[in-house]
Amino acid sequence: MVCSLRDATPTTLGAEDWYLSILGVAPEHQGEGLGRTVLQDGLFAADRMKKRCFLETFNARSVPFYAALGFTAVGEGIDTVTQSRFWVMARPSLPF
């Protein structure tokens, strides 16, 4: 799986960028704004520090969620172990 993600991640994303790890919201609470609330402080901090953020998601339903927060898909692939499709998404620092 690590090789699949590495291969799909553009080489322009690197050590200076902020990687957003795991975020999950219980299905019964999805759509209530909890995920956005959790991410907002971190994204605001990244904006203040002029840092680009990136993440990967294996959930197609998450792509529009992250897009609404300013992320765009910069890569995608199929995990070689699970055969699951994934997207790599990045967000530039935004003016605050």
Side-chain angles (χ1 to χ4, degrees):
M1 179 157 80
V2 172
C3 291
S4 299
L5 293 171
R6 182 191 63 223
D7 294 343
T9 302
T11 57
T12 57
L13 296 174
E16 294 298 314
D17 299 314
W18 286 15
Y19 172 71
L20 303 179
S21 191
I22 298 166
L23 171 67
V25 175
E28 64 270 18
H29 294 290
Q30 291 175 358
E32 296 176 11
L34 298 173
R36 178 181 299 273
T37 299
V38 168
L39 282 175
Q40 280 180 328
D41 286 343
L43 294 176
F44 183 66
D47 292 341
R48 283 194 320 264
M49 297 184 72
K50 299 183 180 353
K51 297 292 184 179
R52 181 170 49 175
C53 298
F54 72 101
L55 56 85
E56 71 272 336
T57 182
F58 284 80
N59 185 343
R61 287 182 41 216
S62 296
V63 173
F65 167 77
Y66 290 118
L69 293 169
F71 287 86
T72 57
V74 296
E76 65 180 80
I78 303 292
D79 177 56
T80 55
V81 174
T82 65
Q83 299 302 306
S84 298
R85 184 174 181 195
F86 65 88
W87 295 263
V88 179
M89 301 186 76
R91 177 189 181 273
S93 64
L94 301 176
F96 58 98

